[in-house]
Amino acid sequence: MAASAPLSRELRAEFTDPADEEVKLAVTLTDSSLTVRRIPSSSSSSSSSSSSPLSPSLVLSLADCVGCRAYSARDGDGENEGALVCAYFYPRARRRWAGGIARAAARHRVEQRLRVASGGNAGAELQEAERWARAVTHRAARLTALTHGGQYSQVCRARRLMVLVNPLSGKGQAMALYTGPIQRMLTEAAVPHTLITTEHQNHARELVRNADLSQWSAIVILSGDGLLFEVINGLMEREDWEEAIRTPLGILPGGSGNALAASVHHYTQADAVFGEDLLLGCGFVLCKGLVCPLDLLSVRLSSGQRLFSFLSLAWGFVADVDIESEKYRPVGAVRFLVGALVRLASLRTYQGRLAFLLAAEESSSVKTPSPPSLPEHGPVDNLMTPFGEPVPTNWTVVEEHDFVLVLATCHSHLAEDLMVAPDARPDDGHIHLFYVTAGVSRPALLRLFLAMEKGTHLACDCPHLVYRRVRALRLDPVTRPGVITVDGEQVEYGPVQAQVHKGYARLISG
């Protein structure tokens, strides 16, 4: 946490309950909370001492506040009924499933409305309401900044967010997710934004490649991970790619896998949640607008094509399940479970060669490739050698040639319910490399994937599972045909290599 700033003076005032003007409320605003106490009426306290305490208080943490506004209230005839302060909070609470089983703590909406005590002057009442709304908003934002310190910056609210929605993602409910909780949250947080729906594959890629990014403070994706893959590669195809890729990127879960959204939620150190609970959690993060660095993978295919990845590179079991389960897309996230069970029933092995540079082994002696003959977009890949040449001598070459899967990821989650790298961070500068060698039994592989729900698979002591933190890797598949995916998207099959570039992009994250 950053050094503490000087404390602000407490604000105290008496308000009334908008639902019952006879109910008086004592309200206190500090640097960390808004406290509301009901003042006992004279009739209920006539028999008690004048110094009797106020009734139990409602304490709302400003850390959970996304916004506050003031407005004039009117009755049905248009007559002024005073000025209101309305503050919006999304605290976490542990609810219960049917049968009394406790659920994970998830955010829920709390709206606190206060009516300025009538003084007969409508203008003065509105000014007082606006003063309180500004104070709540300012102190909530300052508390967020102090809590996270210099690790984060904040999205500028002077410009609009570009919110991209793929209406066909997941179960086809992305637009309903926007018009429900997300639009309301952005309005409560006074976040200006423009909604754009994508109309075809690579529409988002084309849009951001040609957009005037000076109009936008951030680009937000409400879809699956594939749409963000399009956006990142569109940004990297621009002439001003070095500046463009610094545009903050936000993610809201609207697809089947929602790996990055689940990872962003995990980075807030909150309990794992799913579905609409995950949407509210990510919406809260978006409204807070904190920005941190985001690692990117530079992925090179044997044809010479270069892609940029924010999430994963996969070959074997994981890649096959991802692509083969597309036919089950209408069932949502369950498609991956169905696909995994189908693939387990006919488990395959894949022959290939794998080599990597351990994160701890990187040194200045790594061979730096010659600059490309033509200028290319993106950072220089200084850890890799061209295809056809041997890997550098300080790389590790895996002796095994038969694999069940190879998975390289930059984030904690591969799906909402698959926590593959619990200790990953968005800017740790590592590729988290997993591979499973041939010989693993179907029950053992199933146990590994079930353990991934809580991220405990590395404690299963499976001799066929290997985990390494690396900076670069090369994979040369021998088995053909086959499937390789980058961020869940199928790419050209053949030799592939990748290198991580630490903190190259920016992510709205808690």
Side-chain angles (χ1 to χ4, degrees), residues 87-351:
Y88 307 99
F89 297 82
Y90 285 82
R92 290 194 181 100
R94 193 174 297 278
R95 291 172 286 174
R96 295 187 178 276
W97 299 105
I101 302 174
R103 296 174 61 180
R107 292 197 181 275
H108 66 287
R109 183 175 181 272
V110 174
E111 178 180 333
Q112 179 60 57
R113 300 170 72 233
L114 306 165
R115 186 192 302 273
V116 176
S118 177
N121 185 325
E125 291 170 5
L126 183 58
Q127 286 182 357
E128 177 68 0
E130 291 172 340
R131 182 174 78 94
W132 271 79
R134 285 193 302 270
V136 171
T137 301
H138 172 73
R139 295 189 190 198
R142 185 172 66 173
L143 178 61
T144 299
L146 288 173
T147 301
H148 292 275
Q151 298 177 357
Y152 293 80
S153 59
Q154 284 189 288
V155 172
C156 172
R157 296 288 174 84
R159 293 173 292 162
R160 304 180 73 81
L161 300 183
M162 177 194 294
V163 180
L164 292 171
V165 176
N166 176 4
L168 301 179
S169 63
K171 296 181 179 180
Q173 298 177 331
M175 278 303 300
L177 298 178
Y178 167 76
T179 56
I182 295 304
Q183 185 177 31
R184 181 181 65 193
M185 292 181 79
L186 292 175
T187 300
E188 292 169 350
V191 178
H193 64 283
T194 297
L195 175 70
I196 301 174
T197 56
T198 59
E199 299 172 359
H200 53 78
Q201 188 174 13
N202 282 321
H203 184 191
R205 189 172 190 157
E206 298 162 3
L207 192 153
V208 302
R209 186 168 57 218
N210 301 307
D212 177 6
L213 295 181
S214 66
Q215 298 182 37
W216 311 102
S217 59
I219 301 173
V220 178
I221 306 303
L222 175 49
S223 181
D225 298 305
L227 199 62
L228 184 54
F229 174 77
E230 286 189 24
V231 167
I232 286 176
N233 283 278
L235 293 174
M236 293 301 294
E237 290 165 358
R238 295 170 59 101
E239 290 299 322
D240 62 344
W241 57 269
E242 289 181 283
E243 181 180 355
I245 197 59
R246 305 295 294 170
T247 304
L249 303 170
I251 189 72
L252 296 167
S256 300
N258 302 318
L260 184 60
S263 297
V264 165
H265 184 79
H266 175 71
Y267 300 145
T268 66
Q269 300 182 343
D271 293 344
V273 293
F274 310 96
E276 187 169 340
D277 288 340
L278 178 61
L279 182 69
L280 285 179
C282 290
F284 178 83
V285 168
L286 177 62
C287 289
K288 286 296 185 180
L290 291 171
V291 178
C292 73
L294 172 68
D295 294 344
L296 287 187
L297 289 184
S298 172
V299 180
R300 291 186 178 271
L301 307 179
S302 59
S303 64
Q305 184 180 10
R306 188 187 193 193
L307 303 172
F308 291 93
S309 160
F310 68 93
L311 180 61
S312 65
L313 184 156
W315 173 61
F317 183 89
V318 172
D320 286 353
V321 168
D322 204 352
I323 299 305
E324 292 171 3
S325 66
E326 283 286 336
K327 63 175 73 76
Y328 310 123
R329 180 174 289 274
V331 302
V334 180
R335 62 175 263 216
F336 298 108
L337 174 60
V338 175
L341 293 175
V342 170
R343 180 51 45 219
L344 274 171
S346 55
L347 190 61
R348 299 173 182 164
T349 58
Y350 309 79
Q351 288 190 325

